[in-house]
Amino acid sequence: TASPPTDLVVFGGTGDLSMRKLLPALFLCDRDGGLDPRTRIIAASRDGLADADFRDKAAAAVQNSPAVLRAGDVDPLTLRRFTARLHHVTVDVGGDPDSWSALGSLLSPDRPRVFYLALPPMLFGRICRDLGAAGLVTDDSRVVLEKPLGRDLASARAINEEVGEVFAEHQVFRIDHYLGKETVQNLLALRFANMFLEPIWNSRWVDHVQITAAETVGVGTRRGYYDGSGAMRDMVQNHLLQLLCLIAMEPPASFDREAVRDEKVKVLQALRPLAGADAGAHTARGQYAAGRAGGQDVPGYTDEPGGAGPSATETFVALEAGIANWRWSGVPFYLRTGKRMARHYSEIVVQFRDVPHAIFPGQAASANRLVIRLQPEETIHLHMLAKEPGAGALRLRPAPLELSFADTFAERSPDAYERLLMDVLAGNPTLFMRRDELEAAWRWVDPIIAAWDGTEPEPYAPGSTGPAGAHHLIGRSGRTWHEEE
Ligand code: BG6
């Protein structure tokens, strides 16, 4: 069903995120009937483009988008119908106030307005102020904020305050694109639509949990942004902690926006603080060195373009988190993420405890685990032991129960941004971060980053599974990282 007719204004609308993700996702929403015929998409930038030029640029971006190509052939008529919704308006953020009236005169007085800020966060407050001052914010306006939302608790708060002066909290949509991934939402379905998991979803049955988001790419051309960020701020503070929340949260009383977010924030608040020496002992950071990966020579992080020589920025983090509540006390949650790793995948592993008493000879410990693969393929595997066929002595062999989403469902899995943009247009914030959630995540992350001050990340070979410290971190309790079989 189509969302109500809306004016969607994308600040930074000609930039990288808009071209690579937002416009292709909006095209697919439109193709699949998700946009009202009257909905318009207005790119606001300093580029001074005419509508026609912007439409050409957008059409090329849509046609070259991997997400669009995966979703089938691009029908020229559908593409033309989509580009006819597109407009460009030149707005000088922080500059000439007259440019805001050009935007104002484009907006329809009686439609909801969505302002999507695909620009660096230091501009968020300024844009919101200017929108407010120009009288463009109506009661049914919304603002969408891209990550990174600040670089620590203080800056995140400052941004939230500034935005909050113009938009009420229910109008603010903070994006974490991981929450838009099909498999991530499926975690909620898996946990709360099935009976058999809930009774064993606690410290009595679960030995530990691993959450991995590994990429084979390096930072590419993003070193300018990444140097001030690092893997902790870029991936852990948001994506990995959000996954942890969905795994660890209590069942909400309803699938209501506040009920779900109330339970998630409780998990963040229950994270055992890691500070000082404790942070050092429970984390490992790495930085990729130069070497060979994927059959080619690749530069080390400090040689990536756009940087200025040596840097203590981490491109890899592993950490051991604990949740201080009845359900999870004593269960380690191991999180890790890195660039230039051996394989590109994201997964969650719930490792169950050993059987209390092994009766079969040679029985392997730790036989049961649930492996939820978020990408590249979407699968859920439940690892079990079964009897190896044969009339001889009874022997056990691992035998997974396998669910592949691609094989089970004929429907296409939409891209994360499609889902999230449709939610914004429908005014549904369930899959967006509330202010208290975001701030709770920073509150936990800040002392860890502070404890790293003055330390160097450990180098690791590109195409590897990360620095030795990460293996030591999990290995000292006799556990190992789950690597693809
Ligand atoms: C982004 C980070 O938020 O997520 C990037 O800024 C990272 O550094 C990306 O590459 C990973 O997203 P995905 O969907 O490819 O796992």
Side-chain angles (χ1 to χ4, degrees), residues 234-256:
D234 187 49
M235 293 290 290
V236 178
Q237 185 272 342
N238 35 72
H239 308 323
L240 266 56
L241 285 183
Q242 287 294 317
L243 295 180
L244 176 134
C245 285
L246 296 181
I247 289 291
M249 70 195 263
E250 294 301 314
S254 71
F255 195 46
D256 168 81

Side-chain angles (χ1 to χ4, degrees), residues 147 177-178 181 215 222 225 234-235 239 339 375:
K147 73 172 270 275
H177 80 279
Y178 265 57
K181 291 182 191 277
E215 298 180 280
R222 295 167 76 220
Y225 148 74
D234 187 49
M235 293 290 290
H239 308 323
K339 299 208 183 275
Q375 56 193 34

